[in-house]
Amino acid sequence: MNENRFILLVEDDPDHAHLIKRHLQKIERVQFEIDHVRSLAHAKRQLETGQFDAVLLDLSLPDSPINQTLEKVVETGLDAPVIVLTSISDLEFASKAVQQGAQDYLVKSEINRDILNRSIRYAIERNRTQQELERYAAKLKESNEHLEGFAHTLAHEIRSPLTVISGFLQIANQSFLDDLDENTREILQDSLTATKSITELVESLLEFSQAATHTNTFKSVDLESEFFHVYAVLRPLIQESGVTIDHDPLPCVYGNDIQLRQLLQNLLTNAIKYRSDQSPEINVGCEQTDNHWIIRVSDNGIGIPKENQSDIFNAFTRVIGNQQIPGVGIGLAFCKRIVENHKGKIWLESLPGKGSTFFVKLPKSIN
Ligand code: ADP
C-alpha cells in the first residue's frame, strides 16, 4: 500500500521545481502531494493553513534574502521538518541552516530520486524523534515541579505539628526529668534527638524547594563580605574544632546574595564537619578565566571515596561510615541547585584520608 506524504515545495525557479516534482513522482510506494509556492509570503500562508510532512525550502527567494529565509519559516512555529535546497555556491548558508534547525540540506545539482527519498524519510523520522524528546523533557520538567511542590507542601504542613511535639518534649525534659526513672529518661532524650533531626530535615527540605531563583532578582554580590558574614556565623564551630581558614580575596559576582552566602556556608560547614584527626586546615581560593570565576574550598579532612563522588550532589546522598556525623544529605544538592541557578558548575576532587576540594565556577556576567 502506498504511503501519502504532503510536501510544501518553496522554490522560485520553475526548472528546479519541475525537476524536483518529477523525482518525487518517480519514488515508489510513496504518493507525494506537492504544494508548490514561489515566495516566502506564500509559504508562510500555506504553513498557517496546511499540514505538511516536510518542507523543501530554497533559501534564496524573491521576497527574502538567503540568510533570513529559514529563520522566518521557523518563526511560523511549523511542526514539519525543513530540508534546505541549495546551490553548490551557497553551501555555507546551507550548513548554517542545519545548525539553526533545518533537518538536512540538498545540493540542487546533485538531487536524484533516491537522494530525495532518503532525505525526506530521515528528516521526518529525526523530526519525530526530536519532538518526542522535547515532549518528554517538558513532561519531566512538569513532573519535577509537581514533586517539588509536593515536597514543599509536605515539609510546610509537617513543620507546625513538629514544633508542638518538640516543644512538649522540651517542657517534659525540663520539668519532669528528676521524677523519671533512668529508662524513661533515655526514651525522652532519644525522642528529643529524633525530633531535632526531623526538624532539621524539614527545614532543609523547605530551603531546598525554595531555592529556584529568577535572574531578575540578581545584583552585584561581594563574596568577600559574604565570606566574613559566614565566618561570623560559624565562629563557634571554628573555635570548637580548632580549624584554621585562610582565603584569597574574593570577587564581586552577579547573583542572589542569600543563596551565595548559603553556598559558602554549606561548603565551609562540610569542610569543618568532615575533618580528620589531623589539625584541620581550610583554604578558600579564587582564580579567574576570561569569562568565569572559579572559587575553591579545600580541606584536609576525611575525603570522599571515589565511588561516592559522582552522586554526592544528589539529595539525601551521604557516605556510609559518616553516619555518626550529623547531617541529612541535602547541603550539596542545595549547593548544586544554587550554582545552577547562577548558570555555573560545581564539582569536586577528593582523596580519602587526604582531603577534598570543591570547585564552583561562576560566569562573570549572566545574559
Ligand atoms: P550532609 O553534610 O548533611 O550529610 P551534604 O549534602 O552537605 O549533606 O553532604 C553529603 C555527603 O557528602 C556528606 O554526608 C559527606 O559524606 C560528604 N561530604 C560533603 N562534604 C565533604 C567534605 N568536605 N569532606 C568529606 N566528605 C564530605
Side-chain angles (χ1 to χ4, degrees), residues 228-265:
F228 282 113
H229 187 101
V230 170
Y231 194 97
V233 173
L234 296 181
R235 198 181 302 279
L237 190 59
I238 292 169
Q239 281 168 354
E240 179 208 312
S241 59
V243 66
T244 54
I245 305 183
D246 58 32
H247 80 290
D248 290 348
L250 296 177
C252 281
V253 297
Y254 192 61
N256 177 292
D257 52 347
I258 298 170
Q259 289 194 5
L260 291 170
R261 188 183 306 163
Q262 189 75 51
L263 171 70
L264 284 177
Q265 185 162 328

Side-chain angles (χ1 to χ4, degrees), residues 60 87 99 132 143 159 161 217 240 242 254 281 290 338 367:
S60 177
S87 59
Q99 287 164 14
E132 253 165 45
S143 93
R159 193 152 63 162
T217 64
E240 179 208 312
Y254 192 61
E281 284 168 17
D290 284 350
I338 292 172
N367 300 316

